[in-house]
Amino acid sequence: MERILVTSALPYANGHIHLGHLVEYIQTDIWVRYQKLRGRRCIYVCADDTHGTAIMIRAQQEAVREEELIARMKQAHQRDFAGFQIQFDNYGSTNDPENRALCIEIWSALRRAGLVSQKEISQLYDPVAKTFLADRFVKGTCPRCQAPNQYGDSCDRCGAHYSPTDLIDPISTISGARPEVRSAQHLFITIEKLHGFLDDWTQNSGALQPEIANYLKGHFLNEPLRDWDVSRPAPYFGFEIPDSPGNYWYVWFDAPIGYISSTKQWCDRHGQRLDDWWRSEQSEIHHFIGKDITYFHTLFWPAMLKVAGFNLPKKVHIHGFLTVNGEKMSKSKGTFILASTYLQYLDPAYLRYYYAAKLSSGVEDIDLNFEEFAGKVNADLVGNIVNLASRTARFVQGQQLSAVYPDDKGLFARAAADAQQIADAYQQCDFARAIRIILAAGDRANQFIEQAAPWNLRNDASGAERLRDVCTIGLNLFRQIAVYLAPVLPRLAEQTGELLGVPIRHWDESQQPLLGATVSEFKHMLRRVDRHKVEAMVAASAEPEEQQEGSPNNLPIDSDEALRAEPLAPQISFEEFAKVDLRVARVLEAEEVEGAKKLLKLTLGLGGDHRRTVFAGIRGHYQPQELIGRLVICAANLAPRKMKFGVSEGMIVAVGDDSGVYLLYPDQGAKPGQRVH
RNA sequence: GGGCCCGUAGCUCAGCGGUCAGAGCAGGGGACUCAUAAUCCCUUGGUCGUAGGUUCGAGUCCUACCGGGCCUACCA
């Protein structure tokens, strides 16, 4: 195939990217990077989905123009994606002029095919906000079970389905006004006329996973397809329909067209013809979507493409949802984690790897379990894979790898032969299988190094050649794995290129060992997951208001063990307390103290040039790296104390004993130098 | 109401009609010390949700039931 065009679903401009979205974008990005690594001509396009009532209302609430809102959100989305190394070839917007032009083109085709009809629809209307109300913007009392505060389409208490006009005492969630029933003319697409085509395409084209094909057959295609309502009366934020003034295309009509218009933008920038990508036998289209938007992409969208003469998707890859610690993401539990929040605390490589290790080609949900997340990354990635480089490169720093590949008992050849299986797994989106095969190669490599014991060869001149050979093998086995993992961990592939002086560019580099290359100084490629940071991320994501809603009965029952172990000190006066000057300080530097078992040497900043050197007995409980930048509380007027390793000019406040030490941190907003009162 | 998916060791999963059901992590024991408390070796652990059926033979196919998740078109 000459060209491969890949898309992810267009994120809605009404909210920020969170870890649930990222399942899809990371999955797609891995697949695209795999294709590119194989040397295939592949582009990855996406865009912001910007239209609809929700955007209009939000813009009203924030008192900005819609264009401003969506521009701001697009910028935020792109920054989040870049932070996770998701590499789009083009990122557009459904509000771009290219999209309008393509909407018109496809609309005309639907008109010409006689598929557009007009019908009058009765809908609830908010007279205050002056807008028609989608079901989700209406609340009221369930007509069946009398449950209050139910949405306009169904009751989550008794499960009844009804029309919003059946609700008792309905109110608009936008203005609080009582909605009235109004009717308006809507435009419909008679998708039933394409029923035969959809039967065939969904069941026989191979574009859909079997369970999806089944689902469609059992649910939609077993009866006449209902007409699809594709217009909304003004006011609506979207494109006005040229031949139906006052009506706008429903957001789900123009959203998928964004796939094409984003491609168009890329083509215009690269001197390519759009038709070579969207109307060509030599091009295949792959959509990656979540299961919630299945029918839009497997019924309406193929119907539109068919009528307008575009290529049909070669494959619609449908994935499940993300749960966190086994439950739906929850704002109150701090498991509704935004991409930007994650990036403040953790390396994106962790999540890319973790998702890859859990993703298969099915539509099952995947669970992000933080305990497993930390364990998997630390054990598999750092302990097994990266450790291969870490434990061999240092022996041959600044030297060259052997000129002839030494006898490695067939290890390199064996892993080279795995390439086909790994490639198949990537191609089928069964990344979990790819990772399993790759990890097995890592295990074999570690076993080899264990047996070859390079550390026993280094001090012996006669062992120098053998040492070089062993490290040549170890580093090549590592590099081979880095090639296989390059789609998942692009940064690791880059670092491997830097270490060995030859960049990784192609899958086939897994097939031949690298010889004679000069080994650079080894630098850590990936740090272990710091569980404190995971906790901090969850804490930062928790919405405090909802936490307070928790019943007092849910408070943990604390033992008085700590109090008994260390009884309260004698009472003091306020004046005595006030003598202690506690200050907020920022950790500017942190390092382990040579020769000391428990001490870390910290440089604290109190703002401006005011600095203190403090020795704290927290080594083993905190990594120096993780402390840098944090705010702590320091006893600032304590007399300096000479210690074996230098003078300590204060103390930092912490609780605990040898079994665990916990630093105290000021809440957000505190500034260095502020006094504790 | 209808539909789809899932239910295999404490956890995450592999196994998709045929050797005594496997891996990683966690747990237990040992070795090593090059490495980011990394690595290596050994080891504990499952009547494969339940009950029937098809078959010479079933986690593996069929049926029912139980449990969990999700979807159900003028919701983005």
Side-chain angles (χ1 to χ4, degrees):
Chain A
M1 187 54 55
E2 270 186 33
R3 301 178 200 89
I4 304 171
L5 177 75
V6 184
T7 72
S8 293
L10 313 187
Y12 198 49
N14 192 27
H16 287 286
I17 301 299
H18 55 64
L19 298 192
H21 289 112
L22 285 168
V23 171
E24 175 169 316
Y25 300 95
I26 288 176
Q27 179 188 41
T28 316
D29 187 65
I30 291 171
W31 199 79
V32 169
R33 284 180 187 269
Y34 164 73
Q35 300 300 341
K36 290 179 175 174
L37 191 64
R38 296 304 301 261
R40 293 172 191 153
R41 196 165 167 209
C42 176
I43 64 170
Y44 180 18
V45 301
C46 195
D48 259 20
D49 177 17
T50 60
H51 292 156
T53 318
I55 300 289
M56 189 171 74
I57 289 165
R58 179 161 175 165
Q60 275 170 16
Q61 285 167 347
E62 296 186 17
V64 294
R65 290 173 56 239
E66 284 92 348
E67 287 79 1
E68 198 177 313
L69 177 73
I70 64 175
R72 210 168 58 201
M73 197 55 85
K74 183 179 172 194
Q75 214 170 18
H77 285 176
Q78 288 188 279
R79 197 181 53 225
D80 290 342
F81 288 135
F84 281 90
Q85 286 140 19
I86 291 157
Q87 211 165 52
F88 299 112
D89 290 284
N90 190 70
Y91 197 87
S93 160
T94 58
N95 202 41
D96 286 340
E98 291 87 351
N99 202 44
R100 185 193 296 269
L102 278 153
C103 285
I104 292 171
E105 179 181 339
I106 290 174
W107 183 248
S108 309
L110 291 164
R111 284 274 197 200
R112 275 199 304 278
L115 296 176
V116 179
S117 62
Q118 190 163 332
K119 275 189 275 188
E120 188 167 300
I121 286 283
S122 289
Q123 214 182 346
L124 290 182
Y125 179 85
D126 182 332
V128 175
K130 295 193 169 54
T131 177
F132 283 93
L133 295 166
D135 294 352
R136 54 189 290 242
F137 293 114
V138 184
K139 277 191 161 184
T141 300
C142 170
R144 187 163 99 183
C145 75
Q146 318 295 317
N149 222 20
Q150 296 302 318
Y151 283 106
D153 52 351
S154 66
C155 171
D156 60 18
R157 166 88 74 79
C158 72
H161 286 259
Y162 41 74
S163 154
T165 51
D166 298 335
L167 277 178
I168 301 166
D169 295 331
I171 58 157
S172 161
T173 61
I174 298 166
S175 68
R178 185 184 180 88
E180 51 196 57
V181 178
R182 281 203 191 179
S183 54
Q185 295 291 323
H186 283 229
L187 294 163
F188 288 80
I189 294 176
T190 319
I191 194 175
E192 175 60 14
K193 289 190 181 167
L194 291 156
H195 200 138
F197 156 71
L198 288 171
D199 272 336
D200 182 52
W201 184 76
T202 58
Q203 304 305 311
N204 305 322
S205 68
L208 304 179
Q209 287 130 302
E211 57 266 50
I212 299 295
N214 266 339
Y215 159 67
L216 295 170
K217 187 162 133 192
H219 199 87
F220 298 105
L221 296 169
N222 61 350
E223 54 184 8
L225 293 161
R226 292 185 228 166
D227 292 347
W228 183 31
D229 183 352
V230 292
S231 77
R232 295 292 180 277
Y236 191 78
F237 182 60
F239 292 139
E240 191 168 17
I241 304 176
D243 52 20
S244 182
N247 287 311
Y248 292 75
W249 281 305
Y250 171 51
V251 54
W252 263 111
F253 178 81
D254 71 55
I257 296 173
Y259 296 141
I260 307 180
S261 61
S262 186
T263 313
K264 174 79 166 74
Q265 293 176 337
W266 182 86
C267 287
D268 289 349
R269 258 204 335 277
H270 290 84
Q272 299 262 319
R273 293 176 55 236
L274 182 66
D275 282 357
D276 287 341
W277 291 88
W278 276 93
R279 285 181 167 118
S280 164
E281 300 268 305
Q282 293 305 311
S283 173
E284 58 183 50
I285 293 161
H286 293 257
H287 296 307
F288 285 78
I289 62 165
K291 62 186 182 183
D292 52 331
I293 54 177
T294 295
Y295 56 75
F296 290 105
H297 284 81
T298 55
L299 297 176
F300 302 148
W301 180 233
M304 288 162 70
L305 291 171
K306 171 79 176 166
V307 170
F310 289 99
N311 280 15
L312 291 161
K314 165 81 177 175
K315 186 104 195 177
V316 183
H317 306 261
I318 302 180
H319 61 78
F321 293 145
L322 180 73
T323 56
V324 179
N325 293 336
E327 302 176 338
K328 270 191 176 179
M329 297 193 295
S330 146
K331 286 186 178 172
S332 59
K333 287 183 180 148
T335 53
F336 193 96
I337 297 168
L338 296 181
S340 54
T341 308
Y342 175 100
L343 290 171
Q344 283 171 20
Y345 293 90
L346 298 169
D347 190 319
Y350 301 158
L351 196 69
R352 292 181 66 101
Y353 175 76
Y354 183 77
Y355 281 172
K358 308 253 324 179
L359 276 168
S360 69
S361 56
V363 297
E364 300 92 49
D365 292 350
I366 70 168
D367 185 48
L368 166 57
N369 177 285
F370 288 121
E371 198 47 45
E372 189 200 19
F373 169 83
K376 234 178 168 46
V377 171
N378 289 346
D380 296 355
L381 250 195
V382 183
N384 182 330
I385 306 299
V386 177
N387 190 36
L388 284 172
S390 185
R391 68 191 307 202
T392 50
R394 272 182 249 253
F395 293 125
V396 288
Q397 264 171 187
Q399 301 176 41
Q400 289 179 326
L401 297 180
S402 305
V404 177
Y405 192 67
D407 178 16
D408 68 358
K409 298 181 184 136
L411 282 178
F412 190 92
R414 168 138 185 226
D418 286 340
Q420 191 54 50
Q421 278 193 65
I422 299 170
D424 290 345
Y426 272 124
Q427 182 67 34
Q428 291 158 23
C429 289
D430 195 347
F431 302 156
R433 186 153 53 93
I435 298 284
R436 278 198 300 276
I437 301 168
I438 293 168
L439 281 177
D443 281 338
R444 293 194 299 268
N446 271 309
Q447 286 163 18
F448 169 82
I449 293 169
E450 199 72 21
Q451 281 166 19
W455 51 92
N456 289 335
L457 302 167
R458 67 192 150 148
N459 296 324
D460 182 355
S462 63
E465 268 313 300
R466 176 65 189 151
L467 178 62
R468 180 200 300 266
D469 281 354
V470 168
C471 294
T472 297
I473 293 167
L475 286 168
N476 266 294
L477 295 176
F478 168 70
R479 180 171 179 268
Q480 191 174 40
I481 288 171
V483 172
Y484 290 148
L485 282 176
V488 180
L489 301 171
R491 179 69 195 130
L492 184 70
E494 277 173 30
Q495 288 166 321
T496 305
E498 287 159 16
L499 178 68
L500 300 175
V502 181
I504 290 172
R505 293 219 171 87
H506 200 283
W507 183 259
D508 293 343
E509 285 162 295
S510 63
Q511 301 301 298
Q512 288 299 324
L514 183 65
L515 299 170
T518 303
V519 180
S520 305
E521 186 194 347
F522 180 78
K523 288 180 249 168
H524 277 188
M525 295 175 165
L526 194 66
R527 301 225 165 248
R528 295 167 57 76
V529 174
D530 175 352
R531 288 168 209 252
H532 289 108
K533 291 215 173 138
V534 175
E535 285 165 23
M537 174 180 76
V538 171
S541 300
E543 282 198 351
E545 305 92 318
E546 292 190 42
Q547 268 186 337
Q548 289 166 1
E549 285 177 19
S551 128
N553 299 334
N554 291 338
L555 289 175
I557 297 162
D558 299 317
S559 118
D560 64 349
E561 194 185 335
L563 203 56
R564 282 190 282 115
E566 189 175 353
L568 289 176
Q571 198 174 62
I572 58 169
S573 68
F574 177 77
E575 286 69 27
E576 284 172 301
F577 166 71
K579 286 182 185 170
V580 181
D581 192 348
L582 296 172
R583 298 281 175 160
V584 177
R586 190 182 299 283
V587 180
L588 300 174
E589 293 166 23
E591 59 191 63
E592 296 184 344
V593 180
E594 194 84 21
K597 281 182 191 163
K598 291 186 175 179
L599 294 181
L600 290 186
K601 181 179 176 184
L602 306 178
T603 303
L604 303 181
L606 292 169
D609 295 333
H610 302 280
R611 295 188 173 205
R612 295 292 178 87
T613 301
V614 168
F615 290 89
I618 55 173
R619 179 170 184 171
H621 300 289
Y622 287 91
Q623 297 290 324
Q625 199 59 35
E626 69 182 283
L627 291 172
I628 293 174
R630 283 202 189 176
L631 294 180
V632 296
I633 304 294
C634 122
N637 61 340
L638 194 63
R641 185 179 180 91
K642 267 188 210 162
M643 302 178 72
K644 184 175 172 188
F645 307 98
V647 176
S648 185
E649 304 167 316
M651 290 180 76
I652 58 174
V653 180
V655 300
D657 49 35
D658 287 345
S659 63
V661 169
Y662 307 92
L663 291 177
L664 268 55
Y665 303 115
D667 218 335
Q668 261 184 342
K671 294 191 176 54
Q674 287 180 322
R675 183 167 182 183
V676 178
H677 295 289

